[in-house]
Amino acid sequence: MKRLITLSRRDPELPPFSAALAGGRRQRVLDLPLIAWLTLIWVLLWSTLTWANVITGAVVATVVCLAFPLPKVDLGLRLHPWGILVLAGYLLYDMYTSGVQVTRQIFSGHPHRPAVIGVPLRCRGDLMLAATAVTVSNVPGGSVIEVRRATATLFLHVLDADRPAALDAARRSVWRLERLTVRAFGTRDEIERVAEPPPQQRRTGDGGHGA
């Protein structure tokens, strides 16, 4: 028997938090967060929180979404609860250790040579590029100053560029955060891509510039 309603958790081809209605040649996909938002607006317009207003608002929101369907857009966002927990835990740990390291650099008494380095990523999707850039920027000791979409490269300002080992460590940190970010929010293809070894750069022309 064909299902009348299919939720996105049962069909990976559907956008996250959506439901597909069977019937006709054209499948209708309902965006559940949008319906919830329209229902909330309906209740706010009536200024009274009652079951009648909630049910009526949900029905009106569903009818509006069916009558005026939005184009199907898949942003490529997937939510992996375990991956999100691992990413959050690692970020807290990395923020602490990086903060301690930056503090030691400030009070060490000898100058450090900062630099800008280019780090090529394995994922080329806009969403994962942006998510990785935000994740990297949240860790002390390095800030993203440019995202080059054409080559999927993050340009990162690092404080300690005195030793080649420090630059290699900065690149490995970016690749690790990319892997964790994709495992938390990426698609299956992107997760398989970050499981591969990271791209290796030539020692010359790697985007490093002394500041």
Side-chain angles (χ1 to χ4, degrees), residues 124-139:
R124 309 185 72 88
D126 292 344
L127 183 62
M128 288 301 103
L129 281 176
T132 302
V134 172
T135 304
V136 173
S137 297
N138 284 328
V139 178

Side-chain angles (χ1 to χ4, degrees), residues 169-189:
R171 295 188 184 95
R172 288 195 301 271
S173 177
V174 172
W175 289 325
R176 186 182 302 113
L177 288 172
E178 177 198 19
R179 183 176 68 253
L180 294 176
T181 301
V182 171
R183 286 180 176 177
F185 303 107
T187 62
R188 183 179 303 176
D189 291 340

Side-chain angles (χ1 to χ4, degrees), residues 112-116 157-159 161 208-211:
H112 294 272
R113 185 172 69 90
V116 174
H157 180 271
V158 295
L159 296 177
H209 305 283

Side-chain angles (χ1 to χ4, degrees), residues 8-203:
S8 58
R9 64 185 180 86
R10 292 183 176 273
D11 188 350
E13 297 299 325
L14 293 175
F17 305 106
S18 65
L21 302 181
R25 296 181 179 179
R26 184 177 180 183
Q27 187 184 49
R28 296 287 187 175
V29 178
L30 295 178
D31 188 343
L32 300 182
L34 176 60
I35 291 177
W37 176 247
L38 293 176
T39 303
L40 176 61
I41 293 177
W42 177 273
V43 174
L44 292 177
L45 289 174
W46 284 96
S47 302
T48 305
L49 179 60
T50 63
W51 281 111
N53 284 341
V54 172
I55 295 174
T56 305
V59 171
V60 172
T62 303
V63 171
V64 169
C65 291
L66 289 175
F68 306 98
L70 296 175
K72 184 179 179 180
V73 177
D74 186 3
L75 298 178
L77 177 66
R78 302 292 185 270
L79 300 180
H80 307 284
W82 176 247
I84 294 174
L85 288 176
V86 173
L87 175 63
Y90 182 81
L91 278 178
L92 291 175
Y93 169 78
D94 205 12
M95 287 179 184
Y96 172 76
T97 56
S98 298
V100 172
Q101 184 178 1
V102 170
T103 303
R104 288 178 177 175
Q105 292 175 358
I106 294 175
F107 293 100
S108 61
H110 60 86
H112 294 272
R113 185 172 69 90
V116 174
I117 61 173
V119 184
L121 302 182
R122 286 158 287 190
C123 286
R124 309 185 72 88
D126 292 344
L127 183 62
M128 288 301 103
L129 281 176
T132 302
V134 172
T135 304
V136 173
S137 297
N138 284 328
V139 178
S143 58
V144 177
I145 61 175
E146 182 184 348
V147 180
R148 187 165 296 175
R149 180 172 178 266
T151 58
T153 302
L154 294 187
F155 288 90
L156 185 72
H157 180 271
V158 295
L159 296 177
D160 188 3
D162 297 333
R163 298 171 294 108
L167 298 180
D168 291 338
R171 295 188 184 95
R172 288 195 301 271
S173 177
V174 172
W175 289 325
R176 186 182 302 113
L177 288 172
E178 177 198 19
R179 183 176 68 253
L180 294 176
T181 301
V182 171
R183 286 180 176 177
F185 303 107
T187 62
R188 183 179 303 176
D189 291 340
E190 290 170 333
I191 293 175
E192 292 177 356
R193 194 172 298 123
V194 297
E196 300 173 356
Q200 300 297 325
Q201 286 184 298
R202 297 187 301 270
R203 291 297 181 182

